[in-house]
Amino acid sequence: MIQFIEVHKTYPKQINRSPAKHALKGVSFALNQGKTLGLIGQNGAGKSTSIRLIMGYMRPDQGEVIVLQDEKNNPSLRQQIGYLPETSTFPPNLTCMELLYFAGRCCDMPRKAIAERAETLLKRLGIWHDRNRRLSEYSKGMQQRASFAAALIHDPQLLILDEPMSGLDPIGRSEIIELIHDLRSQGKSILFCSHLLDDVERITGHVAILHQGNVLYDGAIANLCADHSDWSIDMRNGETISVKHEEKLSLILHQHADQIVGMRQIGENLQDAFVRVIREYQP
Amino acid sequence: MNRIIALARITFLNGLRRNAVWGLCLFALVLEICGMFFVDFFGRDLGRVISDFQFSIMWAAGMIFILFYAVQAIAWDEGHRSIDSILARPISRTEYVLGTMAGLSLLLLCFEVLLGGLAAAELLWARSLVGEAYFPVFSGLHFCVAWGGLQLILLAHLTVAMLISAVIRGAFPVMLITLAYSLICSGLPVVRASMSQAHGGNASDQGMVTVLQGMGMLFPDFGRLDLKDAVLSHEGIEALIGMQAWLPFSMIVLYMVLILFLACLIYQRRDIL
């Protein structure tokens, strides 16, 4: 669905502003059909640049960005893409229904189909009763839900979600995660960015870690964390020993076999793994 | 076409609900109503004074709309990132520029229809009040043509504002450059006329005259579309402007098409950061 092949992008130097910035330095990753990929990284890592390249807002300096088997990023392809931007801003004096009508009409949907789909989505997202209020009167969380509805109105095959949980309360986050799971089960391909690594773990098992314009890791979360699990050994005297290396583990097991009452593997979570990968990076 | 209409619709609705636009409209309407007070101060030239006043208000209100509202349209979308949400749909950049232009033009025309209607009603009222001796001619058709000429002047400025928005970021620089464009367009015919009067057929100044004429391609003389004198004139429009009436209209329409084409072409190639 999405393929990045050795993509480079530099933001040019601007007068009286920051110097030229090499935002992406040969980035390669792929999202296959029906899969979910979490794009994670610190601020300025290149996540938003990658998304803007996918959406065709910018062109790469070098390399190829192939979206839905098309290299030229034709606007008509966006009929199959649902995009939730990081900042959900719309013309403020529109109502949510007018926004959805606009989004639907742009995808050549008939009025009746837009109305039916809007009702289903807005009820699911909990803003049906506010559908005729102006978007400027919405809270940040409600704007995010309206933006989500606009991204899904045309039932796209590929979803690109930039910080989908931003501005949402814990209940809202759970509802959105549930919705994303439903979309996954319908076979949609989903690429999303998030700083909330707990949520990333709840949504997907596959991540790409971006750092300073480079992909440091692209693969399963399980593989990323498995190699760095700790062993916790409970001793008869109540003491707990934490062991990182398997060689040391076998030594302790050999020397203190009679004093050990239990042992368990404590897996590294995505947060720890992410911090480790970033700290280990040598440019 | 569906996409351009959908985008024009949201641009129109969004503008229609802006308090600032309504405020400007009300202010212009109140000013036009003030034109009625002239009845007591002017005798024989009453029609001309009211007509000039009403057309000036329509022009000024339209320019304020363009310079303080329309120039912000693309800049606001870019600054607040709502362009991300708009271009997330299958809308090309060309459709975005055309849809925004269509929405703003519709808003401007609605606004000007209100002002134009009130102006015509006021002229008719003044004529009925003072009689034909003081207000001999009022041509409805000529009023409509003059109103159309004014709208073309405003739409040409709007088109240029769209071009500048497509080239540079930020509402303030767009406003300044559009204003400068407007001033050059009004000043250039004066400079041209004074050059030709001062130097006659002097060959050494021929180069400057050519440059000024060339600049006329970029900065057209909108004075040819200023037909407010025709409203109260016995003569036809052709006699007033010295050429066939359709010629300046079609030249400005062609100019607008070229400017819009250029705006779309530039915006198509620009990175949206």
Side-chain angles (χ1 to χ4, degrees), chain A residues 9 57 78 93 98 106, chain B residues 3 17 80 84 87 271-272:
Chain A
K9 179 71 191 174
Y57 298 159
R78 286 182 227 140
N93 297 314
E98 284 165 351
C106 287
Chain B
R3 290 168 197 136
R17 291 170 187 163
H80 290 79
D84 288 7
L87 293 182
D271 274 357
I272 297 172

Side-chain angles (χ1 to χ4, degrees), chain A residues 9 11 14 52 55-59 75-76 78-79 83 85 89-95 98 101-103 105-108 134 150, chain B residues 2-3 6-7 9-10 13-14 17-18 76 80-93 169 268-273:
Chain A
K9 179 71 191 174
Y11 290 110
Q14 291 184 332
R52 299 184 84 73
M55 293 306 295
Y57 298 159
M58 299 190 293
R59 290 173 186 79
S76 62
R78 286 182 227 140
Q79 212 140 3
Y83 173 48
T89 315
F90 295 102
N93 297 314
L94 297 183
T95 66
E98 284 165 351
Y101 178 79
F102 161 71
R105 289 302 293 156
C106 287
C107 297
D108 300 324
R134 289 190 192 180
Chain B
N2 273 350
R3 290 168 197 136
L7 192 57
R9 183 175 177 268
I10 62 164
L13 286 176
N14 191 46
R17 291 170 187 163
R18 287 282 297 261
W76 195 94
H80 290 79
R81 293 260 188 232
S82 70
I83 193 145
D84 288 7
S85 310
I86 292 169
L87 293 182
R89 321 290 148 213
I91 293 178
S92 69
R93 308 271 185 96
R169 293 185 181 88
Q268 193 73 36
R269 305 183 74 81
R270 209 176 94 180
D271 274 357
I272 297 172
L273 301 175

Side-chain angles (χ1 to χ4, degrees), chain A residues 167-220:
Chain A
L168 295 174
D169 55 38
I171 302 291
R173 275 166 60 186
S174 295
E175 286 170 2
I176 293 294
I177 289 173
E178 204 177 299
L179 178 61
I180 294 173
H181 280 302
D182 281 359
L183 293 166
R184 276 182 64 183
S185 64
Q186 289 166 25
K188 313 274 186 210
S189 310
I190 304 172
L191 174 78
F192 72 99
C193 292
S194 182
H195 286 298
L196 304 168
L197 299 184
D198 291 347
D199 291 340
V200 174
E201 268 186 305
R202 286 168 70 188
I203 293 171
T204 182
H206 194 129
V207 290
I209 300 178
L210 273 173
H211 183 59
Q212 294 177 3
N214 299 290
V215 175
L216 300 189
Y217 179 81
D218 180 11

Side-chain angles (χ1 to χ4, degrees), chain B residues 6 16 26 42-43 47 64 66 71 75 77 89-90 101 105 112 153 170 179 185 187 192 197 209 211 250 269:
Chain B
L16 205 60
L26 279 176
F42 297 93
I64 291 172
I66 292 166
V71 295
D77 281 350
R89 321 290 148 213
M101 173 75 194
S105 304
E112 292 284 326
I153 296 173
L179 184 62
C185 285
R192 234 179 352 230
Q197 271 176 14
V209 172
V211 168
S250 41
R269 305 183 74 81

Side-chain angles (χ1 to χ4, degrees), chain B residues 106-181:
Chain B
L106 190 61
L107 197 58
L108 178 65
L109 287 178
C110 287
F111 183 31
E112 292 284 326
V113 163
L114 266 179
L115 296 179
L118 184 65
E122 210 170 299
L123 281 165
L124 286 171
W125 172 78
R127 191 166 187 239
S128 69
L129 209 66
V130 297
E132 289 193 7
Y134 291 99
F135 198 151
V137 180
F138 174 74
S139 162
L141 177 68
H142 284 177
F143 181 86
C144 291
V145 175
W147 182 87
L150 177 63
Q151 299 323 303
L152 271 187
I153 296 173
L154 294 172
L155 288 177
H157 279 83
L158 182 59
T159 313
V160 169
M162 297 303 286
L163 170 66
I164 299 162
S165 296
V167 177
I168 55 172
R169 293 185 181 88
F172 189 65
V174 175
M175 193 261 282
L176 283 184
I177 297 172
T178 311
L179 184 62
Y181 166 84

Side-chain angles (χ1 to χ4, degrees), chain A residues 44-107:
Chain A
K47 306 185 297 291
S48 294
T49 303
S50 302
I51 286 186
R52 299 184 84 73
L53 288 168
I54 293 168
M55 293 306 295
Y57 298 159
M58 299 190 293
R59 290 173 186 79
D61 299 331
Q62 274 179 52
E64 274 185 285
V65 177
I66 303 170
V67 181
L68 299 163
Q69 281 81 48
D70 187 284
E71 295 161 33
K72 290 179 182 166
N73 215 325
N74 197 326
S76 62
L77 283 178
R78 286 182 227 140
Q79 212 140 3
Q80 297 170 57
I81 302 176
Y83 173 48
L84 176 76
E86 184 179 1
T87 319
S88 304
T89 315
F90 295 102
N93 297 314
L94 297 183
T95 66
C96 186
M97 280 307 281
E98 284 165 351
L99 169 71
L100 296 184
Y101 178 79
F102 161 71
R105 289 302 293 156
C106 287
C107 297

